[in-house]
Amino acid sequence: MLAADPGASIASIAAEAGVDRRTVYRRFASREDLLAAIYDARLTAIEHAINDARLREAPVAVALHRYVENIITVNRTWPVDLTRMLTHHTVHTRRDTAIQEVDTFLQRATDEGLLRPEQPQNWASALLPQLMHLVSQQMPELSAGQAADVVVDTFLHGLGTS
């Protein structure tokens, strides 16, 4: 609901959930606390997606597909307003850690010849999240695996050596 209307009130959120707004306030003292909990859950899901992809040890192509599939699932499960999320004070350190992990993986992909090294710096790390976000939003009929196939194919054939 907050993805569709970031300004949704606690009362409307409670109504959509089928509970009284007092129930929401018992769990979350304020709208800000509710948003912080949502952001925390999304970041936790991203961290699990990264760990599950085994970016440091799995073969690059396997890790890439698994990471993309996992993040598409996160995007569909936690479709929050990322611009707003990034303004929240609790987000930056954890997000920066996740970004560094993926950037290190993308450098590994370049070093191992899966990505072309002559691309502008950080181009791959800017493009990949955009592709995942786009397929998450524009192709809901695809399973996460099918959507990952589209993203990985587009990513590698746009940046890849083959």
Side-chain angles (χ1 to χ4, degrees), residues 42-53 55 64-78 82 98 102 128-133 135-136 144 148:
R42 179 177 167 86
L43 286 166
T44 298
I46 289 169
E47 291 161 352
H48 286 142
I50 289 170
N51 290 335
D52 181 64
L55 299 180
L64 176 63
H65 193 281
R66 191 168 193 154
Y67 168 72
V68 170
E69 185 173 348
N70 290 347
I71 294 298
I72 288 168
T73 300
V74 170
N75 288 347
R76 289 176 173 173
T77 304
W78 300 100
L82 296 178
V102 174
L128 185 57
Q130 295 300 319
L131 291 172
M132 293 184 295
H133 178 73
V135 78
S136 297

PDB file of all heavy atoms in Angstrom, residues 42-53 55 64-78 82 98 102 128-133 135-136 144 148:
ATOM      1  N   ARG A  42      13.096  -4.906   4.437  1.00  0.00           N
ATOM      2  CA  ARG A  42      13.606  -4.926   3.060  1.00  0.00           C
ATOM      3  C   ARG A  42      15.128  -5.103   3.053  1.00  0.00           C
ATOM      4  O   ARG A  42      15.659  -5.907   2.282  1.00  0.00           O
ATOM      5  CB  ARG A  42      13.210  -3.660   2.310  1.00  0.00           C
ATOM      6  CG  ARG A  42      13.744  -3.653   0.878  1.00  0.00           C
ATOM      7  CD  ARG A  42      13.298  -2.428   0.098  1.00  0.00           C
ATOM      8  NE  ARG A  42      14.040  -2.300  -1.126  1.00  0.00           N
ATOM      9  CZ  ARG A  42      13.745  -2.886  -2.285  1.00  0.00           C
ATOM     10  NH1 ARG A  42      12.686  -3.667  -2.358  1.00  0.00           N
ATOM     11  NH2 ARG A  42      14.484  -2.703  -3.350  1.00  0.00           N
ATOM     12  N   LEU A  43      15.822  -4.366   3.899  1.00  0.00           N
ATOM     13  CA  LEU A  43      17.283  -4.487   3.957  1.00  0.00           C
ATOM     14  C   LEU A  43      17.713  -5.885   4.402  1.00  0.00           C
ATOM     15  O   LEU A  43      18.681  -6.437   3.878  1.00  0.00           O
ATOM     16  CB  LEU A  43      17.871  -3.426   4.876  1.00  0.00           C
ATOM     17  CG  LEU A  43      17.886  -2.019   4.291  1.00  0.00           C
ATOM     18  CD1 LEU A  43      18.161  -0.999   5.376  1.00  0.00           C
ATOM     19  CD2 LEU A  43      18.905  -1.913   3.174  1.00  0.00           C
ATOM     20  N   THR A  44      17.010  -6.458   5.347  1.00  0.00           N
ATOM     21  CA  THR A  44      17.303  -7.820   5.788  1.00  0.00           C
ATOM     22  C   THR A  44      17.105  -8.795   4.635  1.00  0.00           C
ATOM     23  O   THR A  44      17.936  -9.689   4.414  1.00  0.00           O
ATOM     24  CB  THR A  44      16.428  -8.201   6.994  1.00  0.00           C
ATOM     25  OG1 THR A  44      16.738  -7.316   8.080  1.00  0.00           O
ATOM     26  CG2 THR A  44      16.652  -9.651   7.415  1.00  0.00           C
ATOM     27  N   ALA A  45      16.043  -8.623   3.872  1.00  0.00           N
ATOM     28  CA  ALA A  45      15.794  -9.483   2.714  1.00  0.00           C
ATOM     29  C   ALA A  45      16.888  -9.321   1.660  1.00  0.00           C
ATOM     30  O   ALA A  45      17.327 -10.302   1.050  1.00  0.00           O
ATOM     31  CB  ALA A  45      14.417  -9.176   2.117  1.00  0.00           C
ATOM     32  N   ILE A  46      17.363  -8.098   1.449  1.00  0.00           N
ATOM     33  CA  ILE A  46      18.464  -7.854   0.504  1.00  0.00           C
ATOM     34  C   ILE A  46      19.737  -8.548   0.987  1.00  0.00           C
ATOM     35  O   ILE A  46      20.445  -9.190   0.204  1.00  0.00           O
ATOM     36  CB  ILE A  46      18.683  -6.341   0.303  1.00  0.00           C
ATOM     37  CG1 ILE A  46      17.529  -5.741  -0.495  1.00  0.00           C
ATOM     38  CG2 ILE A  46      20.020  -6.054  -0.372  1.00  0.00           C
ATOM     39  CD1 ILE A  46      17.501  -4.226  -0.525  1.00  0.00           C
ATOM     40  N   GLU A  47      20.026  -8.417   2.269  1.00  0.00           N
ATOM     41  CA  GLU A  47      21.220  -9.071   2.825  1.00  0.00           C
ATOM     42  C   GLU A  47      21.145 -10.583   2.651  1.00  0.00           C
ATOM     43  O   GLU A  47      22.137 -11.229   2.286  1.00  0.00           O
ATOM     44  CB  GLU A  47      21.385  -8.684   4.293  1.00  0.00           C
ATOM     45  CG  GLU A  47      21.752  -7.232   4.482  1.00  0.00           C
ATOM     46  CD  GLU A  47      21.494  -6.678   5.879  1.00  0.00           C
ATOM     47  OE1 GLU A  47      20.867  -7.385   6.717  1.00  0.00           O
ATOM     48  OE2 GLU A  47      21.917  -5.547   6.127  1.00  0.00           O
ATOM     49  N   HIS A  48      19.966 -11.164   2.876  1.00  0.00           N
ATOM     50  CA  HIS A  48      19.802 -12.606   2.681  1.00  0.00           C
ATOM     51  C   HIS A  48      19.941 -12.964   1.201  1.00  0.00           C
ATOM     52  O   HIS A  48      20.531 -14.007   0.872  1.00  0.00           O
ATOM     53  CB  HIS A  48      18.451 -13.079   3.214  1.00  0.00           C
ATOM     54  CG  HIS A  48      18.380 -13.123   4.701  1.00  0.00           C
ATOM     55  ND1 HIS A  48      17.265 -12.762   5.405  1.00  0.00           N
ATOM     56  CD2 HIS A  48      19.295 -13.470   5.625  1.00  0.00           C
ATOM     57  CE1 HIS A  48      17.496 -12.882   6.702  1.00  0.00           C
ATOM     58  NE2 HIS A  48      18.726 -13.309   6.858  1.00  0.00           N
ATOM     59  N   ALA A  49      19.420 -12.124   0.325  1.00  0.00           N
ATOM     60  CA  ALA A  49      19.538 -12.371  -1.118  1.00  0.00           C
ATOM     61  C   ALA A  49      20.995 -12.395  -1.554  1.00  0.00           C
ATOM     62  O   ALA A  49      21.410 -13.254  -2.345  1.00  0.00           O
ATOM     63  CB  ALA A  49      18.766 -11.303  -1.893  1.00  0.00           C
ATOM     64  N   ILE A  50      21.768 -11.475  -1.038  1.00  0.00           N
ATOM     65  CA  ILE A  50      23.196 -11.410  -1.365  1.00  0.00           C
ATOM     66  C   ILE A  50      23.922 -12.641  -0.826  1.00  0.00           C
ATOM     67  O   ILE A  50      24.691 -13.289  -1.541  1.00  0.00           O
ATOM     68  CB  ILE A  50      23.816 -10.105  -0.832  1.00  0.00           C
ATOM     69  CG1 ILE A  50      23.305  -8.919  -1.661  1.00  0.00           C
ATOM     70  CG2 ILE A  50      25.339 -10.174  -0.834  1.00  0.00           C
ATOM     71  CD1 ILE A  50      23.648  -7.562  -1.076  1.00  0.00           C
ATOM     72  N   ASN A  51      23.668 -12.978   0.423  1.00  0.00           N
ATOM     73  CA  ASN A  51      24.321 -14.156   1.016  1.00  0.00           C
ATOM     74  C   ASN A  51      23.943 -15.437   0.290  1.00  0.00           C
ATOM     75  O   ASN A  51      24.797 -16.288   0.038  1.00  0.00           O
ATOM     76  CB  ASN A  51      23.991 -14.268   2.502  1.00  0.00           C
ATOM     77  CG  ASN A  51      24.644 -13.194   3.327  1.00  0.00           C
ATOM     78  OD1 ASN A  51      25.674 -12.644   2.959  1.00  0.00           O
ATOM     79  ND2 ASN A  51      24.036 -12.864   4.453  1.00  0.00           N
ATOM     80  N   ASP A  52      22.676 -15.571  -0.060  1.00  0.00           N
ATOM     81  CA  ASP A  52      22.195 -16.762  -0.742  1.00  0.00           C
ATOM     82  C   ASP A  52      22.804 -16.913  -2.140  1.00  0.00           C
ATOM     83  O   ASP A  52      23.017 -18.027  -2.612  1.00  0.00           O
ATOM     84  CB  ASP A  52      20.663 -16.735  -0.842  1.00  0.00           C
ATOM     85  CG  ASP A  52      20.117 -17.967  -1.513  1.00  0.00           C
ATOM     86  OD1 ASP A  52      20.281 -19.072  -0.946  1.00  0.00           O
ATOM     87  OD2 ASP A  52      19.550 -17.842  -2.615  1.00  0.00           O
ATOM     88  N   ALA A  53      23.120 -15.796  -2.786  1.00  0.00           N
ATOM     89  CA  ALA A  53      23.698 -15.838  -4.136  1.00  0.00           C
ATOM     90  C   ALA A  53      25.149 -16.304  -4.124  1.00  0.00           C
ATOM     91  O   ALA A  53      25.678 -16.682  -5.160  1.00  0.00           O
ATOM     92  CB  ALA A  53      23.586 -14.466  -4.792  1.00  0.00           C
ATOM     93  N   LEU A  55      28.015 -14.619  -3.775  1.00  0.00           N
ATOM     94  CA  LEU A  55      28.721 -13.775  -4.734  1.00  0.00           C
ATOM     95  C   LEU A  55      30.233 -13.951  -4.709  1.00  0.00           C
ATOM     96  O   LEU A  55      30.899 -13.705  -5.712  1.00  0.00           O
ATOM     97  CB  LEU A  55      28.378 -12.299  -4.497  1.00  0.00           C
ATOM     98  CG  LEU A  55      26.907 -11.911  -4.659  1.00  0.00           C
ATOM     99  CD1 LEU A  55      26.725 -10.428  -4.386  1.00  0.00           C
ATOM    100  CD2 LEU A  55      26.374 -12.295  -6.021  1.00  0.00           C
ATOM    101  N   LEU A  64      25.404 -14.470 -10.411  1.00  0.00           N
ATOM    102  CA  LEU A  64      24.674 -13.346 -10.993  1.00  0.00           C
ATOM    103  C   LEU A  64      23.200 -13.677 -11.140  1.00  0.00           C
ATOM    104  O   LEU A  64      22.334 -12.903 -10.720  1.00  0.00           O
ATOM    105  CB  LEU A  64      25.274 -12.961 -12.351  1.00  0.00           C
ATOM    106  CG  LEU A  64      24.531 -11.860 -13.113  1.00  0.00           C
ATOM    107  CD1 LEU A  64      24.556 -10.550 -12.332  1.00  0.00           C
ATOM    108  CD2 LEU A  64      25.144 -11.683 -14.509  1.00  0.00           C
ATOM    109  N   HIS A  65      22.889 -14.822 -11.723  1.00  0.00           N
ATOM    110  CA  HIS A  65      21.487 -15.187 -11.924  1.00  0.00           C
ATOM    111  C   HIS A  65      20.770 -15.345 -10.585  1.00  0.00           C
ATOM    112  O   HIS A  65      19.657 -14.864 -10.407  1.00  0.00           O
ATOM    113  CB  HIS A  65      21.365 -16.466 -12.747  1.00  0.00           C
ATOM    114  CG  HIS A  65      19.976 -16.697 -13.235  1.00  0.00           C
ATOM    115  ND1 HIS A  65      18.990 -17.209 -12.435  1.00  0.00           N
ATOM    116  CD2 HIS A  65      19.407 -16.439 -14.444  1.00  0.00           C
ATOM    117  CE1 HIS A  65      17.861 -17.294 -13.124  1.00  0.00           C
ATOM    118  NE2 HIS A  65      18.096 -16.829 -14.347  1.00  0.00           N
ATOM    119  N   ARG A  66      21.428 -15.989  -9.656  1.00  0.00           N
ATOM    120  CA  ARG A  66      20.799 -16.216  -8.344  1.00  0.00           C
ATOM    121  C   ARG A  66      20.558 -14.888  -7.623  1.00  0.00           C
ATOM    122  O   ARG A  66      19.494 -14.675  -7.026  1.00  0.00           O
ATOM    123  CB  ARG A  66      21.688 -17.132  -7.511  1.00  0.00           C
ATOM    124  CG  ARG A  66      21.007 -17.620  -6.267  1.00  0.00           C
ATOM    125  CD  ARG A  66      21.817 -18.728  -5.653  1.00  0.00           C
ATOM    126  NE  ARG A  66      21.004 -19.382  -4.657  1.00  0.00           N
ATOM    127  CZ  ARG A  66      21.159 -20.612  -4.276  1.00  0.00           C
ATOM    128  NH1 ARG A  66      22.091 -21.356  -4.818  1.00  0.00           N
ATOM    129  NH2 ARG A  66      20.402 -21.132  -3.347  1.00  0.00           N
ATOM    130  N   TYR A  67      21.541 -13.988  -7.675  1.00  0.00           N
ATOM    131  CA  TYR A  67      21.391 -12.666  -7.059  1.00  0.00           C
ATOM    132  C   TYR A  67      20.223 -11.917  -7.695  1.00  0.00           C
ATOM    133  O   TYR A  67      19.357 -11.375  -6.995  1.00  0.00           O
ATOM    134  CB  TYR A  67      22.688 -11.862  -7.211  1.00  0.00           C
ATOM    135  CG  TYR A  67      22.542 -10.407  -6.876  1.00  0.00           C
ATOM    136  CD1 TYR A  67      22.372  -9.988  -5.564  1.00  0.00           C
ATOM    137  CD2 TYR A  67      22.547  -9.445  -7.886  1.00  0.00           C
ATOM    138  CE1 TYR A  67      22.214  -8.645  -5.258  1.00  0.00           C
ATOM    139  CE2 TYR A  67      22.388  -8.100  -7.583  1.00  0.00           C
ATOM    140  CZ  TYR A  67      22.224  -7.705  -6.274  1.00  0.00           C
ATOM    141  OH  TYR A  67      22.060  -6.377  -5.975  1.00  0.00           O
ATOM    142  N   VAL A  68      20.175 -11.874  -9.015  1.00  0.00           N
ATOM    143  CA  VAL A  68      19.114 -11.147  -9.716  1.00  0.00           C
ATOM    144  C   VAL A  68      17.742 -11.738  -9.371  1.00  0.00           C
ATOM    145  O   VAL A  68      16.797 -11.001  -9.055  1.00  0.00           O
ATOM    146  CB  VAL A  68      19.362 -11.142 -11.242  1.00  0.00           C
ATOM    147  CG1 VAL A  68      18.150 -10.616 -11.994  1.00  0.00           C
ATOM    148  CG2 VAL A  68      20.607 -10.313 -11.568  1.00  0.00           C
ATOM    149  N   GLU A  69      17.632 -13.054  -9.402  1.00  0.00           N
ATOM    150  CA  GLU A  69      16.359 -13.692  -9.063  1.00  0.00           C
ATOM    151  C   GLU A  69      15.943 -13.350  -7.632  1.00  0.00           C
ATOM    152  O   GLU A  69      14.778 -13.031  -7.363  1.00  0.00           O
ATOM    153  CB  GLU A  69      16.479 -15.210  -9.242  1.00  0.00           C
ATOM    154  CG  GLU A  69      15.172 -15.943  -9.029  1.00  0.00           C
ATOM    155  CD  GLU A  69      15.267 -17.420  -9.362  1.00  0.00           C
ATOM    156  OE1 GLU A  69      16.266 -17.864  -9.975  1.00  0.00           O
ATOM    157  OE2 GLU A  69      14.316 -18.146  -9.003  1.00  0.00           O
ATOM    158  N   ASN A  70      16.883 -13.400  -6.718  1.00  0.00           N
ATOM    159  CA  ASN A  70      16.590 -13.084  -5.317  1.00  0.00           C
ATOM    160  C   ASN A  70      16.150 -11.629  -5.155  1.00  0.00           C
ATOM    161  O   ASN A  70      15.201 -11.340  -4.411  1.00  0.00           O
ATOM    162  CB  ASN A  70      17.821 -13.338  -4.439  1.00  0.00           C
ATOM    163  CG  ASN A  70      18.143 -14.799  -4.278  1.00  0.00           C
ATOM    164  OD1 ASN A  70      17.343 -15.682  -4.603  1.00  0.00           O
ATOM    165  ND2 ASN A  70      19.344 -15.092  -3.793  1.00  0.00           N
ATOM    166  N   ILE A  71      16.835 -10.702  -5.808  1.00  0.00           N
ATOM    167  CA  ILE A  71      16.491  -9.283  -5.661  1.00  0.00           C
ATOM    168  C   ILE A  71      15.151  -8.978  -6.317  1.00  0.00           C
ATOM    169  O   ILE A  71      14.378  -8.159  -5.810  1.00  0.00           O
ATOM    170  CB  ILE A  71      17.616  -8.380  -6.202  1.00  0.00           C
ATOM    171  CG1 ILE A  71      18.878  -8.531  -5.341  1.00  0.00           C
ATOM    172  CG2 ILE A  71      17.170  -6.915  -6.254  1.00  0.00           C
ATOM    173  CD1 ILE A  71      18.721  -8.124  -3.864  1.00  0.00           C
ATOM    174  N   ILE A  72      14.839  -9.623  -7.417  1.00  0.00           N
ATOM    175  CA  ILE A  72      13.513  -9.438  -8.024  1.00  0.00           C
ATOM    176  C   ILE A  72      12.438  -9.864  -7.033  1.00  0.00           C
ATOM    177  O   ILE A  72      11.424  -9.174  -6.871  1.00  0.00           O
ATOM    178  CB  ILE A  72      13.414 -10.199  -9.360  1.00  0.00           C
ATOM    179  CG1 ILE A  72      14.270  -9.487 -10.411  1.00  0.00           C
ATOM    180  CG2 ILE A  72      11.960 -10.324  -9.817  1.00  0.00           C
ATOM    181  CD1 ILE A  72      14.497 -10.274 -11.683  1.00  0.00           C
ATOM    182  N   THR A  73      12.668 -10.963  -6.339  1.00  0.00           N
ATOM    183  CA  THR A  73      11.719 -11.403  -5.308  1.00  0.00           C
ATOM    184  C   THR A  73      11.599 -10.363  -4.198  1.00  0.00           C
ATOM    185  O   THR A  73      10.490 -10.050  -3.749  1.00  0.00           O
ATOM    186  CB  THR A  73      12.150 -12.775  -4.743  1.00  0.00           C
ATOM    187  OG1 THR A  73      12.166 -13.724  -5.816  1.00  0.00           O
ATOM    188  CG2 THR A  73      11.206 -13.243  -3.648  1.00  0.00           C
ATOM    189  N   VAL A  74      12.728  -9.813  -3.761  1.00  0.00           N
ATOM    190  CA  VAL A  74      12.705  -8.758  -2.739  1.00  0.00           C
ATOM    191  C   VAL A  74      11.917  -7.552  -3.258  1.00  0.00           C
ATOM    192  O   VAL A  74      11.063  -7.002  -2.550  1.00  0.00           O
ATOM    193  CB  VAL A  74      14.133  -8.326  -2.333  1.00  0.00           C
ATOM    194  CG1 VAL A  74      14.107  -7.076  -1.454  1.00  0.00           C
ATOM    195  CG2 VAL A  74      14.855  -9.459  -1.624  1.00  0.00           C
ATOM    196  N   ASN A  75      12.195  -7.129  -4.480  1.00  0.00           N
ATOM    197  CA  ASN A  75      11.500  -5.974  -5.045  1.00  0.00           C
ATOM    198  C   ASN A  75       9.993  -6.190  -5.099  1.00  0.00           C
ATOM    199  O   ASN A  75       9.224  -5.254  -4.861  1.00  0.00           O
ATOM    200  CB  ASN A  75      12.019  -5.666  -6.455  1.00  0.00           C
ATOM    201  CG  ASN A  75      13.402  -5.071  -6.463  1.00  0.00           C
ATOM    202  OD1 ASN A  75      13.920  -4.647  -5.443  1.00  0.00           O
ATOM    203  ND2 ASN A  75      14.011  -5.059  -7.631  1.00  0.00           N
ATOM    204  N   ARG A  76       9.586  -7.389  -5.400  1.00  0.00           N
ATOM    205  CA  ARG A  76       8.151  -7.682  -5.489  1.00  0.00           C
ATOM    206  C   ARG A  76       7.526  -7.856  -4.107  1.00  0.00           C
ATOM    207  O   ARG A  76       6.348  -7.552  -3.916  1.00  0.00           O
ATOM    208  CB  ARG A  76       7.931  -8.923  -6.341  1.00  0.00           C
ATOM    209  CG  ARG A  76       8.218  -8.658  -7.814  1.00  0.00           C
ATOM    210  CD  ARG A  76       8.088  -9.891  -8.649  1.00  0.00           C
ATOM    211  NE  ARG A  76       8.213  -9.576 -10.067  1.00  0.00           N
ATOM    212  CZ  ARG A  76       8.269 -10.504 -11.013  1.00  0.00           C
ATOM    213  NH1 ARG A  76       8.198 -11.783 -10.706  1.00  0.00           N
ATOM    214  NH2 ARG A  76       8.391 -10.129 -12.276  1.00  0.00           N
ATOM    215  N   THR A  77       8.279  -8.335  -3.153  1.00  0.00           N
ATOM    216  CA  THR A  77       7.765  -8.531  -1.798  1.00  0.00           C
ATOM    217  C   THR A  77       7.729  -7.225  -1.015  1.00  0.00           C
ATOM    218  O   THR A  77       6.798  -6.982  -0.244  1.00  0.00           O
ATOM    219  CB  THR A  77       8.636  -9.559  -1.047  1.00  0.00           C
ATOM    220  OG1 THR A  77       8.680 -10.771  -1.805  1.00  0.00           O
ATOM    221  CG2 THR A  77       8.092  -9.837   0.344  1.00  0.00           C
ATOM    222  N   TRP A  78       8.742  -6.392  -1.201  1.00  0.00           N
ATOM    223  CA  TRP A  78       8.877  -5.134  -0.470  1.00  0.00           C
ATOM    224  C   TRP A  78       8.964  -3.963  -1.459  1.00  0.00           C
ATOM    225  O   TRP A  78      10.010  -3.343  -1.600  1.00  0.00           O
ATOM    226  CB  TRP A  78      10.130  -5.157   0.415  1.00  0.00           C
ATOM    227  CG  TRP A  78      10.101  -6.257   1.421  1.00  0.00           C
ATOM    228  CD1 TRP A  78      10.719  -7.456   1.351  1.00  0.00           C
ATOM    229  CD2 TRP A  78       9.383  -6.251   2.654  1.00  0.00           C
ATOM    230  NE1 TRP A  78      10.439  -8.204   2.464  1.00  0.00           N
ATOM    231  CE2 TRP A  78       9.617  -7.487   3.284  1.00  0.00           C
ATOM    232  CE3 TRP A  78       8.560  -5.314   3.285  1.00  0.00           C
ATOM    233  CZ2 TRP A  78       9.062  -7.815   4.516  1.00  0.00           C
ATOM    234  CZ3 TRP A  78       8.011  -5.643   4.513  1.00  0.00           C
ATOM    235  CH2 TRP A  78       8.257  -6.873   5.110  1.00  0.00           C
ATOM    236  N   LEU A  82      11.835   3.747  -2.965  1.00  0.00           N
ATOM    237  CA  LEU A  82      13.263   3.723  -2.644  1.00  0.00           C
ATOM    238  C   LEU A  82      13.823   5.110  -2.382  1.00  0.00           C
ATOM    239  O   LEU A  82      14.710   5.279  -1.547  1.00  0.00           O
ATOM    240  CB  LEU A  82      14.045   3.036  -3.758  1.00  0.00           C
ATOM    241  CG  LEU A  82      13.715   1.558  -3.956  1.00  0.00           C
ATOM    242  CD1 LEU A  82      14.517   0.988  -5.119  1.00  0.00           C
ATOM    243  CD2 LEU A  82      13.960   0.770  -2.695  1.00  0.00           C
ATOM    244  N   ALA A  98      25.767  -3.457   1.439  1.00  0.00           N
ATOM    245  CA  ALA A  98      25.215  -4.313   0.384  1.00  0.00           C
ATOM    246  C   ALA A  98      25.735  -3.882  -0.989  1.00  0.00           C
ATOM    247  O   ALA A  98      26.128  -4.724  -1.805  1.00  0.00           O
ATOM    248  CB  ALA A  98      23.687  -4.277   0.420  1.00  0.00           C
ATOM    249  N   VAL A 102      28.048  -6.091  -3.775  1.00  0.00           N
ATOM    250  CA  VAL A 102      27.681  -6.290  -5.181  1.00  0.00           C
ATOM    251  C   VAL A 102      28.739  -5.681  -6.098  1.00  0.00           C
ATOM    252  O   VAL A 102      29.114  -6.281  -7.113  1.00  0.00           O
ATOM    253  CB  VAL A 102      26.275  -5.730  -5.471  1.00  0.00           C
ATOM    254  CG1 VAL A 102      25.947  -5.801  -6.959  1.00  0.00           C
ATOM    255  CG2 VAL A 102      25.226  -6.494  -4.663  1.00  0.00           C
ATOM    256  N   LEU A 128      22.504  -2.556 -13.385  1.00  0.00           N
ATOM    257  CA  LEU A 128      21.878  -3.789 -12.901  1.00  0.00           C
ATOM    258  C   LEU A 128      20.657  -3.532 -12.001  1.00  0.00           C
ATOM    259  O   LEU A 128      19.596  -4.118 -12.242  1.00  0.00           O
ATOM    260  CB  LEU A 128      22.916  -4.668 -12.197  1.00  0.00           C
ATOM    261  CG  LEU A 128      22.424  -6.044 -11.752  1.00  0.00           C
ATOM    262  CD1 LEU A 128      21.874  -6.859 -12.921  1.00  0.00           C
ATOM    263  CD2 LEU A 128      23.565  -6.802 -11.062  1.00  0.00           C
ATOM    264  N   PRO A 129      20.736  -2.647 -11.005  1.00  0.00           N
ATOM    265  CA  PRO A 129      19.536  -2.412 -10.183  1.00  0.00           C
ATOM    266  C   PRO A 129      18.376  -1.829 -10.987  1.00  0.00           C
ATOM    267  O   PRO A 129      17.213  -2.133 -10.713  1.00  0.00           O
ATOM    268  CB  PRO A 129      20.001  -1.412  -9.117  1.00  0.00           C
ATOM    269  CG  PRO A 129      21.483  -1.478  -9.133  1.00  0.00           C
ATOM    270  CD  PRO A 129      21.900  -1.932 -10.491  1.00  0.00           C
ATOM    271  N   GLN A 130      18.686  -1.014 -11.978  1.00  0.00           N
ATOM    272  CA  GLN A 130      17.626  -0.438 -12.811  1.00  0.00           C
ATOM    273  C   GLN A 130      16.916  -1.520 -13.615  1.00  0.00           C
ATOM    274  O   GLN A 130      15.686  -1.505 -13.735  1.00  0.00           O
ATOM    275  CB  GLN A 130      18.200   0.640 -13.741  1.00  0.00           C
ATOM    276  CG  GLN A 130      18.738   1.854 -13.016  1.00  0.00           C
ATOM    277  CD  GLN A 130      17.674   2.548 -12.189  1.00  0.00           C
ATOM    278  OE1 GLN A 130      16.532   2.703 -12.616  1.00  0.00           O
ATOM    279  NE2 GLN A 130      18.041   2.958 -10.995  1.00  0.00           N
ATOM    280  N   LEU A 131      17.678  -2.457 -14.161  1.00  0.00           N
ATOM    281  CA  LEU A 131      17.072  -3.564 -14.896  1.00  0.00           C
ATOM    282  C   LEU A 131      16.199  -4.422 -13.985  1.00  0.00           C
ATOM    283  O   LEU A 131      15.088  -4.817 -14.355  1.00  0.00           O
ATOM    284  CB  LEU A 131      18.151  -4.431 -15.549  1.00  0.00           C
ATOM    285  CG  LEU A 131      18.935  -3.803 -16.697  1.00  0.00           C
ATOM    286  CD1 LEU A 131      20.096  -4.712 -17.100  1.00  0.00           C
ATOM    287  CD2 LEU A 131      18.027  -3.524 -17.884  1.00  0.00           C
ATOM    288  N   MET A 132      16.688  -4.690 -12.782  1.00  0.00           N
ATOM    289  CA  MET A 132      15.910  -5.510 -11.841  1.00  0.00           C
ATOM    290  C   MET A 132      14.637  -4.791 -11.423  1.00  0.00           C
ATOM    291  O   MET A 132      13.566  -5.400 -11.332  1.00  0.00           O
ATOM    292  CB  MET A 132      16.759  -5.884 -10.622  1.00  0.00           C
ATOM    293  CG  MET A 132      17.890  -6.822 -10.962  1.00  0.00           C
ATOM    294  SD  MET A 132      18.849  -7.396  -9.535  1.00  0.00           S
ATOM    295  CE  MET A 132      19.583  -5.879  -8.940  1.00  0.00           C
ATOM    296  N   HIS A 133      14.738  -3.505 -11.170  1.00  0.00           N
ATOM    297  CA  HIS A 133      13.564  -2.724 -10.792  1.00  0.00           C
ATOM    298  C   HIS A 133      12.551  -2.699 -11.939  1.00  0.00           C
ATOM    299  O   HIS A 133      11.349  -2.905 -11.734  1.00  0.00           O
ATOM    300  CB  HIS A 133      13.975  -1.308 -10.398  1.00  0.00           C
ATOM    301  CG  HIS A 133      12.828  -0.431 -10.054  1.00  0.00           C
ATOM    302  ND1 HIS A 133      12.108  -0.556  -8.885  1.00  0.00           N
ATOM    303  CD2 HIS A 133      12.239   0.578 -10.746  1.00  0.00           C
ATOM    304  CE1 HIS A 133      11.137   0.331  -8.862  1.00  0.00           C
ATOM    305  NE2 HIS A 133      11.192   1.029  -9.982  1.00  0.00           N
ATOM    306  N   VAL A 135      12.097  -4.814 -14.517  1.00  0.00           N
ATOM    307  CA  VAL A 135      11.414  -6.087 -14.741  1.00  0.00           C
ATOM    308  C   VAL A 135      10.469  -6.416 -13.586  1.00  0.00           C
ATOM    309  O   VAL A 135       9.395  -6.982 -13.800  1.00  0.00           O
ATOM    310  CB  VAL A 135      12.414  -7.237 -15.029  1.00  0.00           C
ATOM    311  CG1 VAL A 135      13.068  -7.738 -13.762  1.00  0.00           C
ATOM    312  CG2 VAL A 135      11.752  -8.374 -15.776  1.00  0.00           C
ATOM    313  N   SER A 136      10.834  -6.035 -12.372  1.00  0.00           N
ATOM    314  CA  SER A 136       9.962  -6.277 -11.216  1.00  0.00           C
ATOM    315  C   SER A 136       8.632  -5.545 -11.375  1.00  0.00           C
ATOM    316  O   SER A 136       7.579  -6.088 -11.052  1.00  0.00           O
ATOM    317  CB  SER A 136      10.636  -5.820  -9.926  1.00  0.00           C
ATOM    318  OG  SER A 136      11.792  -6.558  -9.673  1.00  0.00           O
ATOM    319  N   ALA A 144       9.968 -15.042 -10.863  1.00  0.00           N
ATOM    320  CA  ALA A 144      11.249 -14.410 -10.531  1.00  0.00           C
ATOM    321  C   ALA A 144      12.374 -15.026 -11.359  1.00  0.00           C
ATOM    322  O   ALA A 144      13.272 -14.310 -11.824  1.00  0.00           O
ATOM    323  CB  ALA A 144      11.543 -14.543  -9.036  1.00  0.00           C
ATOM    324  N   ALA A 148      14.578 -13.033 -14.016  1.00  0.00           N
ATOM    325  CA  ALA A 148      16.038 -13.027 -13.891  1.00  0.00           C
ATOM    326  C   ALA A 148      16.693 -13.405 -15.219  1.00  0.00           C
ATOM    327  O   ALA A 148      17.718 -12.831 -15.595  1.00  0.00           O
ATOM    328  CB  ALA A 148      16.481 -13.971 -12.780  1.00  0.00           C
TER     329      ALA A 148
END
